[in-house]
Amino acid sequence: MMRILTSMAVLLLLSSSAQAAFNHKEVLQGPFANGPEVTTQCLTCHKEHAEDFMKSSHWTWELEQELPGRTVKRGKKNSINNFCVSISGNEPRCTSCHAGYGWKDSNFDFNDMTKVDCLVCHDTTGTYMKDPAGAGEVFGKVDIARVAQNVGAPVRDNCGSCHFYGGGGDAVKHGDLDSSMSYPDRDTDVHMDTDGNDFQCQDCHVTEKHQISGNAMGVSPGGETKIGCVNCHDGAPHQNKKLNTHTATVACQTCHIPSFAKVEPTKMHWDWEAAGQDLEDTIDENGKHTFNKKKGSFIWQKDVPPQYAWFNGSADAYMAGDKIDPTKTVKLAYPLGDINDPKAKIYPFKVHTGKQIYDSELNILLTPKTYGEGGYWDKFDWDLAAKLGMEANPTMVEKGLKYSGKHGFVATEMWWRINHMVTPKDKALQCNDCHNKGQRLDWKALGYDGDPMKNRKGVKHATAE
């Protein structure tokens, strides 16, 4: 009996090894004219994987989620941000980061399995590239057959090909995700350090049946597949008991990510109202545009201390068609929680501010067409761009909202959680960074009467115990 079990174990081991080292050159010979031809071949063995993937938000670009007082379907497909604003009418440009082929407008068929892009996540050659304005199609010079024959498990570069360049360029959107995270050193990120832990994205963003855990608050404020430090670390990890009392109300990231945009500067402000002026482009000391006629003016910063706020795991967001008060800053996505919320902790955030177009009669944010024929970058006409963008936006059409013909520009802000670029523990924040004369935290903005180490009045959290 033992001999039989041993033989079976050897067979299973050989089978597993064979699968791990499967030579795709034997079955994917090409030539391939385009991405869907590769996918058609992939489906002969991996149809169930494609079916799983098509249920994910990486394919649908939306999730059903709970926001305060309402259930919404929200994602990249229909959210409004203060970077490029909206994908509606701009699909060929924006969907170059979709894990699919041919999303040119709102008529894209999400049920067509051959449109799934397997290669963008599974390329191991480092040569795969999508056309920057080609609706997700493969860039013309890519040797598709070579890429297909060398597929494998994703690495940081695969995920980073989109997530490092969100918002139209390197380090634009997130602040803690940029090209420096492909091969970071220990000081940039202690988890992904190529000479140390060398974590790949899926080491934390555990994936099952192509459902990737973790949600970006900007597009999925009500997302429920959250991940956190305690997935791997003890909830009271410090030898110092005083430090461990902080974990009840202070997120690990707050002390262990003292700054973001450590290597590449990140965009902190985007003013669309400044666009269209016949001025020369201007560049800052890091080589980043501070003015561009097409897009307006920008502020970039490097090695940025986060802003801090209470966060209870839930967030709220502006949805297309919501009314605004143009005399106030419009919050596009922001954390929920306060000092009296037992579920809330103090977390670090990048807060991206901007000025963007709104309908001054309807008092709603507009979704202008910027790219392509008739778009703002083509005609420099905000009225035309607003009209075309609203007509191309399925949500606005469904709600019966059309551009009134009157527009203005309103201040907006968007909160992005900081989770990456974890510093080595010897470079984490120290007590005096926040307490005594430390200026790191704005205690009154967080709901305290002052530094809780000195002023216990109103203190309700364990951090002051």
Side-chain angles (χ1 to χ4, degrees):
M1 183 66 175
M2 181 61 70
R3 185 175 299 170
I4 294 173
L5 289 173
T6 302
S7 299
M8 289 177 65
V10 171
L11 286 171
L12 286 170
L13 180 62
L14 290 172
S15 174
S16 176
S17 299
Q19 288 178 2
F22 183 79
N23 185 358
H24 283 81
K25 292 180 181 179
E26 297 177 359
V27 293
L28 296 173
Q29 296 180 358
F32 300 106
N34 52 47
E37 286 192 7
V38 177
T39 302
T40 300
Q41 289 293 309
C42 297
L43 292 173
T44 60
C45 293
H46 297 288
K47 182 179 179 182
E48 72 280 9
H49 297 118
E51 290 172 341
D52 289 337
F53 176 73
M54 292 170 75
K55 298 173 185 175
S56 76
S57 60
H58 276 80
W59 173 253
T60 63
W61 274 16
E62 67 178 4
L63 287 171
E64 184 174 286
Q65 46 195 299
E66 297 295 327
L67 299 185
R70 53 183 172 172
T71 301
V72 300
K73 278 193 174 182
R74 177 184 171 89
K76 290 179 183 290
K77 183 186 288 185
N78 63 354
S79 61
I80 295 178
N81 60 52
N82 54 6
F83 295 90
C84 296
V85 185
S86 171
I87 76 165
S88 294
N90 306 306
E91 286 87 352
R93 186 82 177 181
C94 300
T95 57
S96 62
C97 263
H98 182 239
Y101 302 115
W103 186 353
K104 297 178 181 179
D105 54 37
S106 59
N107 295 315
F108 179 71
D109 185 0
F110 287 92
N111 295 313
D112 186 348
M113 200 173 292
T114 68
K115 298 298 186 183
V116 171
D117 183 353
C118 308
L119 303 181
V120 70
C121 294
H122 293 286
D123 167 44
T124 67
T125 69
T127 64
Y128 188 72
M129 181 179 177
K130 285 172 168 281
D131 186 332
E137 301 290 356
V138 184
F139 192 68
K141 294 184 178 180
V142 174
D143 185 341
I144 310 176
R146 177 173 176 252
V147 173
Q149 291 165 356
N150 291 279
V151 291
V155 295
R156 289 187 298 270
D157 271 335
N158 296 101
C159 305
S161 65
C162 283
H163 290 288
F164 295 166
Y165 300 92
D170 190 7
V172 168
K173 188 175 284 185
H174 289 277
D176 61 344
L177 289 172
D178 58 43
S179 60
S180 71
M181 298 292 277
S182 287
Y183 305 97
D185 60 18
R186 186 169 182 265
D187 285 344
T188 302
D189 189 284
V190 74
H191 293 121
M192 301 189 197
D193 171 22
T194 51
D195 294 322
N197 292 309
D198 199 22
F199 282 11
Q200 303 304 316
C201 300
Q202 60 268 34
D203 286 329
C204 290
H205 294 272
V206 177
T207 301
E208 184 176 356
K209 293 186 175 181
H210 282 82
Q211 306 300 309
I212 302 173
S213 61
N215 297 113
M217 200 179 79
V219 291
S220 300
E224 296 181 352
T225 59
K226 299 178 178 67
I227 62 174
C229 305
V230 293
N231 287 20
C232 295
H233 297 280
D234 189 275
H238 308 98
Q239 293 181 351
N240 185 314
K241 292 183 180 179
K242 186 73 171 179
L243 290 179
N244 283 333
T245 63
H246 284 63
T247 62
T249 50
V250 181
C252 305
Q253 296 93 319
T254 296
C255 295
H256 290 277
I257 312 178
S259 67
F260 56 88
K262 294 179 180 181
V263 179
E264 300 294 333
T266 188
K267 192 172 286 185
M268 297 297 294
H269 181 78
W270 185 331
D271 181 359
W272 278 101
E273 188 176 18
Q277 300 179 69
D278 289 319
L279 304 173
E280 288 188 13
D281 285 9
T282 53
I283 306 292
D284 67 13
E285 65 274 14
N286 293 306
K288 298 294 187 180
H289 275 102
T290 54
F291 174 80
N292 173 267
K293 181 178 178 179
K294 284 186 174 182
K295 299 180 180 181
S297 62
F298 315 107
I299 296 174
W300 297 79
Q301 292 179 5
K302 190 174 178 180
D303 203 25
V304 186
Q307 291 192 44
Y308 300 94
W310 293 102
F311 177 53
N312 63 16
S314 297
D316 202 355
Y318 179 89
M319 293 293 294
D322 287 354
K323 294 285 187 180
I324 67 168
D325 179 350
T327 66
K328 299 179 180 179
T329 298
V330 179
K331 293 184 176 183
L332 300 180
Y334 56 97
L336 298 175
D338 58 41
I339 191 173
N340 297 311
D341 187 335
K343 293 182 179 180
K345 294 185 180 185
I346 299 170
Y347 275 85
F349 294 87
K350 168 186 171 177
V351 182
H352 183 267
T353 60
K355 231 179 170 186
Q356 64 198 89
I357 191 170
Y358 80 101
D359 191 305
S360 56
E361 186 170 298
L362 298 177
N363 282 335
I364 61 172
L365 293 182
L366 292 166
T367 57
K369 177 180 175 63
T370 54
Y371 173 78
E373 185 177 354
Y376 185 74
W377 299 341
D378 178 33
K379 303 295 185 183
F380 292 99
D381 183 337
W382 278 121
D383 288 315
L384 178 60
K387 177 180 181 295
L388 294 177
M390 293 290 279
E391 290 174 349
N393 189 320
T395 302
M396 298 298 193
V397 171
E398 183 180 335
K399 292 183 176 182
L401 295 172
K402 297 180 180 180
Y403 174 49
S404 71
K406 298 179 181 179
H407 72 269
F409 290 85
V410 65
T412 59
E413 65 182 35
M414 197 168 187
W415 291 63
W416 295 83
R417 277 184 63 194
I418 297 298
N419 294 304
H420 310 91
M421 297 191 176
V422 178
T423 197
K425 63 181 180 181
D426 59 320
K427 295 185 178 181
L429 293 182
Q430 302 300 306
C431 300
N432 286 336
D433 287 313
C434 299
H435 298 290
N436 298 319
K437 295 182 180 180
Q439 300 296 311
R440 174 67 63 153
L441 295 184
D442 184 340
W443 293 113
K444 291 191 175 181
L446 290 168
Y448 295 96
D449 287 342
D451 183 347
M453 282 189 66
K454 296 180 177 181
N455 186 347
R456 295 186 58 82
K457 184 179 178 181
V459 171
K460 300 179 181 180
H461 281 75
T463 50
E465 293 178 359

